[in-house]
Amino acid sequence: AMSDSPPPHSPAPKSSIQSSGYSARFYLILAAMVVAFLVVVLQRNSIRARYWAYQLKQTDDFAEQAYYIACLASIGDAATESVESLVWDSRNEVRMLAIPASQGLTPRIRHELVLYALILDDDEELQASAATAIALSHWKPGEQFLIAISQSPSESTACAAAGGLSRIDSAAAVDALCSIIQTHKSPKVRAQAVESLAGHLQPSLVNRDAMTGKLDPISVMVQALGDSGEFTGKLAAEREIETVSSAVTARKGLRVATSAPSASAARTVASVAAGVLTDLTGETIEPIPADFAAPSRLVERCKSLIAQRRPRLPTTLPGP
């Protein structure tokens, strides 16, 4: 009699449960592959940024450094972790590269993760560069941060902040520099504030309202003529001049004359203020004793001389 059972050597038919299990695994593997692909696509900039940062750390070639910095700056906040890895590198020259490499980050991320960290660094050149970057970012919280740390008890940090404030064209920056000159405990920081304040007082057509704010900068500068506090080392503008001179010397093989003081020579805050007022007024101004009898007359004299040297705007437009 015919039997409905399969032949003894024929394979047993697969159950629907087994088939559905194979199908589920297939779709699970396919979904995982799709997710992995999407992750790679979405994270491609972060992956590339890690590669660029790694290469940037390995090369000393300026052209290659410029290329990798441009690459990092081109992808915005996707480069955050990679740029931050530059900040925490042990080498000063690599940490310095984090400043230009961070230009593509949004202001808050750039300042909080990069620039604020570097201005608190142990290297003075790094601190100064970070302060300059903060000032040139024209980001209001950055200006407020520089003003706050300009009163830091750390001499190098306060000096860097005071140097940065020279590049911020605001009454708040001028008042902060005046406050440093009057109250900071470090003579070098006070001297740096004097040098930075000079930049706000230079007579020019675009800076006619420089002497405004809660504090009178000329009066503060005259007060600094009696500051006998001594310091050594170069101030920010002096270092910049020296850097440019060195670069010209290296490129052209020339010997560039400079009147910058020796880094080891002791100077007083008063001597820096005297040099500033001499440049501003066009007359030789000397340091004064702390008990100088007529500071208010000297203030008025300096203001008068500065006003005479300030370019006058035409009262009428030139005719055809």
Side-chain angles (χ1 to χ4, degrees):
M2 297 293 294
S3 173
D4 293 335
S5 62
H9 300 294
S10 62
K14 295 180 180 179
S15 67
S16 60
I17 296 178
Q18 286 179 310
S19 298
S20 63
Y22 292 143
S23 178
R25 279 198 296 272
F26 170 75
Y27 286 115
L28 185 61
I29 293 171
L30 182 61
M33 293 175 64
V34 171
V35 169
F37 174 75
L38 291 175
V39 168
V40 170
V41 170
L42 294 174
Q43 297 295 321
R44 67 188 184 279
N45 280 340
S46 296
I47 295 170
R48 293 158 69 196
R50 283 193 287 271
Y51 169 76
W52 292 330
Y54 173 79
Q55 294 296 330
L56 187 56
K57 294 175 185 178
Q58 307 305 312
T59 183
D60 293 326
D61 183 82
F62 289 144
E64 290 184 3
Q65 288 178 345
Y67 171 75
Y68 292 124
I69 286 171
C71 289
L72 287 167
S74 70
I75 60 173
D77 289 346
T80 298
E81 290 185 9
S82 299
V83 171
E84 195 175 8
S85 73
L86 302 176
V87 174
W88 302 112
D89 195 275
S90 61
R91 294 162 292 177
N92 290 349
E93 61 272 18
V94 173
R95 297 202 299 282
M96 184 71 78
L97 296 174
I99 296 176
S102 66
Q103 291 181 89
L105 305 180
T106 52
R108 183 186 63 79
I109 293 176
R110 186 188 188 208
H111 282 72
E112 293 182 358
L113 296 184
V114 180
L115 301 181
Y116 291 174
L118 292 178
I119 202 172
L120 300 175
D121 199 274
D122 293 331
D123 183 79
E124 291 186 6
E125 186 177 353
L126 259 173
Q127 291 180 302
S129 297
T132 298
I134 292 171
L136 296 180
S137 294
H138 305 294
W139 192 55
K140 192 68 174 179
E143 175 183 338
Q144 295 167 347
F145 178 81
L146 277 185
I147 290 174
I149 66 167
S150 67
Q151 290 288 355
S152 168
S154 167
E155 182 177 274
S156 61
T157 299
C159 273
L165 289 174
S166 69
R167 301 175 185 273
I168 296 178
D169 187 17
S170 73
V174 172
D175 283 343
L177 291 169
C178 290
S179 178
I180 295 168
I181 295 169
Q182 292 178 325
T183 64
H184 205 283
K185 293 182 179 180
S186 166
K188 187 173 183 180
V189 176
R190 298 199 300 273
Q192 179 58 68
V194 167
E195 183 196 71
S196 295
L197 186 59
H200 291 276
L201 298 177
Q202 291 294 339
S204 68
L205 290 172
V206 297
N207 201 28
R208 296 183 64 84
D209 297 323
M211 291 183 287
T212 59
K214 296 178 181 178
L215 300 174
D216 179 6
I218 297 299
S219 296
V220 173
M221 195 72 77
V222 169
Q223 291 173 20
L225 288 174
D227 189 337
S228 59
E230 292 190 342
F231 69 97
T232 59
K234 296 182 183 296
L235 303 177
E238 295 166 352
R239 289 197 305 271
E240 290 178 9
I241 293 171
E242 183 179 54
T243 299
V244 173
S245 298
S246 299
V248 172
T249 301
R251 184 173 181 180
K252 301 291 186 180
L254 302 174
R255 189 172 189 83
V256 180
T258 175
S259 58
S262 167
S264 60
R267 291 180 283 167
T268 63
V269 179
S271 68
V272 178
V276 167
L277 286 173
T278 295
D279 290 340
L280 289 173
T281 62
E283 291 192 1
T284 301
I285 304 294
E286 300 287 349
I288 59 177
D291 57 352
F292 185 68
S296 59
R297 290 170 57 186
L298 181 55
V299 169
E300 293 306 315
R301 174 64 176 160
C302 288
K303 287 183 178 180
S304 174
L305 291 170
I306 292 171
Q308 292 173 25
R309 301 188 72 202
R310 193 182 298 278
R312 290 179 172 83
L313 290 173
T315 55
T316 58
L317 294 175

